[in-house]
Each structure stands twice: as structure tokens, then as C-alpha cells.
Amino acid sequence: MTRIQHIANDRGLGTTYQELFDRIPIPLYRTSVDGEWLAANQAFLALVEAETLADLPNARDLWADPDLRQQMIGDIERTGLDYTEQPLLIRTLKGNLVWAEPKTVIVREQGDVQYFEGVMIDITAQKREEQARSELVNILENTSDTVLAVHPTGALRYVNRAGRDLFNLPDPGMKQAGSVESILPTTFLGQLKKFGSFMTEIEVPSATGPVALELTTQEHRTSTGELDYYSAIGRDVTATKLVSEHLEEAVRSKDRFVASVSHELRTPLTTVLGSALELRGLDVTATSAERTELTDAVIEHALELSNLVEDLLVNASFGNDSVRIKARPIDLAAQLQQSLVSVVGPSTKNPIMSGTASAWADPLRVRQIVRNLLTNAGRYGGPDVHAEVHQTEGRAVLEVSDNGPGLDEDSWDQIFEPYESVHENQSLSVGLGLTVSRRLARLMGGDLIYFHRDGRSTFRLTLPRVSPSGA
């Protein structure tokens, strides 16, 4: 019995005290050092799911980890503590686990511990809440999305790991994080205060470049309705935006392609059809020169159509990797000469040619490249066209140059992009010839570049050179 019980018994108040002891809603207990239960009220018995004091096992056996009790007693005896609040996990008589926070008085006589007594507070709900909070923080810390908690004043209450990495904030991203206005546009806090819950997209700087964040915000209130904080979840949509932009560009490219192809097909087709109809309608008095002129027009524009279709088919074949290269030793100058047959335009039919070189390449693909280069010079270059063949160590080189106006250096690579136009009179050109030519050159182990130097625009085709042994 406690000291109060002894006094109560002396005054004849034992029954009254016991009733009061049992009715107190806080779990009260007393146990010896050996674990014998000396007293426990009804609230304590309810806590451990027992009917009477006699039902209780040794106190040591109520601990989920019995060895911890003996360790705690050893710590108490060694340190001389008179009070402890060390939380413990209890296994009730029905096998349930309960977290308890004992507020224990350690009673000593002549320095030796005699017994423990005090209250036992059930903190299971608190522990579960802490565990749930810990699990939530763990989830937030490991998510790839940026998560923010913002005080109504704009102070950052929490920033998860993804957010700290994005905004280069110190760990743990709390207290030292500062204001939301230090990491997001200054208008964002105003939007939070005005709308509370909304979605928006913003661009923020990062070490790797601008990042597009899709932010979803929500306001959180206390049980009394008072605004507690705002949350914001930011998803990086930079890649999605790039894909969307690429898709939009693909649609625009398709539209340009359809418009330009229809134009380039319709023009020569109209000429071919018109010339053929005129030929059919010529009477016997027509001169030979008239017939030759119409026939040349049909041939020239038919070749133009054939070349265009060939470029379209090859470009489509790049998409499914079906372009095949059949390389063998070739005379580059001879391939240049053969290419003149399929070149459209009087100014490019007779370029000044010089030099010789042996290349390891596909002759069909080389003629297609040369035809595109000569056609391009005829359409957009000056009248003085040169085609020079030579070889360097390990490389066969063909340069097609003209004295036309050069392109800005920023456009030197741009002209090899599909459907790109850098000439004012090329607005309805398919713009595939140079694209196809460069890709074919690279498939054969060479390259095709453009440069403007000393008043001349030059396209340089390089191909693997045939070794002296012919291997």
C-alpha cells in the first residue's frame, strides 16, 4: 500500500480511499523492483486489459521487450535517478501493443530502490501519429515531385529533397529555407492568398537550365477554420513540353512538306503536260527547233520530277533504316560526269570540272549527292560553277562551288535540316536535297559541309579513299 493508504487506514478511510483510487481515470500503479504488482487502479487494469490485480503477470512480462525493463532498472540504480519518463511498449494480456509514457517516482530507502509508483499515460495514438508523419515525410523526401509547405505569411515551412535540390536549398529545407518569394516568382504568393487552391505553370532556373514546373496548390485549415498553411506540388514538365513542342513542329513540318511537295510536283507536271499537248498539236509546218525545244522541256521537267521523287523515297527510307549502301571502288570524276545527265538547269549542265580521285562509295548514292549539289548551285548560286575533285591522305574530296552570294555562318548547318529555307526564292521548295545528301555521305563514312570563303560558296563532299592497293 502507498503512504496515503496507510494514513487512510489509520483514520478509517481505507474503503473511501480505495474507491477514490479506483475511480481516478488516470492509470496508477506501484510495483516492486522484482516486478511484483503492489497496487493498480481500474484505469491501469483497463490499459493492460486485465480484470483484477491478481490477473497481472510479473511487470517484466508486460514489456514487449522484457530485457529492457531490467536494463532500465540497472540504469536507475547506477545513475541514482528519482524520476523517469522513459516511454515503453506494453503487450497487454490480450496480446495488443500499447505505447505508454510512465511518469514514475523511484522510492528509495537508505539509497536502495524499494519500489516504483506513478502514472502510466497511453500515448499509442500519439506514437501512431508520429509514425504516420514519419512515413509521410519519408514518402515526400523520396518523391521526384517538388513539395512545398508555405505559411500564410509566405515563409517556407517545408521543402522536400527534390525541391531542395532544384532550388539549391540547405538541408533539411526547413527554417533556413526563407520565403517562397526567394524561389518562385514574386506573384506566386499573391496568387496563393487570392485563390488558395489552383493550378499554374511556371519556369524556374536550375543548374541544368530552365525547368518548367506544373504547380498544384491547396490551402489547409485548422479544425476551427483558421488558415494553417498552403501546400504546393510541382511536377517537372520540361520534357513533356519539349515533346509537345516537337510534335507541334512535326505538324508544322508536315504542313510545309505537303504544301511544298504539291507545289514542286504541280509546276513541272504542268510544264510536262503543256509541252506534251503542244507537241501533239504541232502541225506539219512546225520547225525542228520548235519540236526540240518542247521535247527538251518535257525531258528537263520529267528529270526534275524523277529527282524529287528519288529524294522523297530515300528520305522516307531513313526513317525505317532501309537505306542500303553498296560501296565499291569508284572514279569520283567519272561519277561527276555521269551526274550531269540528270541535272536540271542550263547554268549547271556545264560546270568547270577538274581533278581526279578514287573513292570507296556507292556510285548510285554519290551521283544522287552530286546531282543535288549541282542543282542547288544552278538554282541559288552564281553563274561561275566549278566542280573540283582531289584527294587527301585517306579521303577523296569533291567540291562544288559558285560565285553567288554566301550564307550567314549561322545558316551553314541549318541548310542541311529538312524543309529549311534560307533563300528568299525557296519558300516553296521541299528542301530535302541537302538533307538527303549529307545523310548519304555520312552513311558511306564521309561527310558533306558548306562554307563561304574568298567570295565563293562551296559544298565539300568527303568520302573514304581507296587505298593504293585497291583494298
Side-chain angles (χ1 to χ4, degrees), residues 315 318 369 372-373 376 407 409-422 426 430-442 447-451 458-461:
N315 189 65
F318 284 133
I369 295 172
N372 276 322
L373 297 182
N376 187 78
L407 301 175
E409 190 168 350
D410 292 342
S411 303
W412 288 8
D413 265 339
Q414 180 186 343
I415 59 176
F416 294 101
E417 296 296 324
Y419 319 126
E420 287 294 334
S421 173
V422 294
Q426 196 187 2
V430 174
L432 279 180
L434 293 178
T435 301
V436 168
S437 297
R438 171 176 270 189
R439 296 189 70 174
L440 287 175
R442 290 177 174 178
D447 203 357
L448 177 64
I449 63 171
Y450 168 86
F451 58 89
T458 302
F459 285 92
R460 176 181 291 163
L461 170 66

Side-chain angles (χ1 to χ4, degrees), residues 150-156 179-182 184-196 198 215 217 227 230:
V150 184
H151 190 271
T153 61
L156 288 168
S179 168
V180 68
E181 294 178 311
S182 66
L184 296 179
T186 54
T187 56
F188 181 71
L189 182 58
Q191 289 178 296
L192 273 180
K193 292 180 177 180
K194 182 177 181 179
F195 301 110
F198 63 96
L215 279 172
T217 71
L227 180 61
Y230 302 101

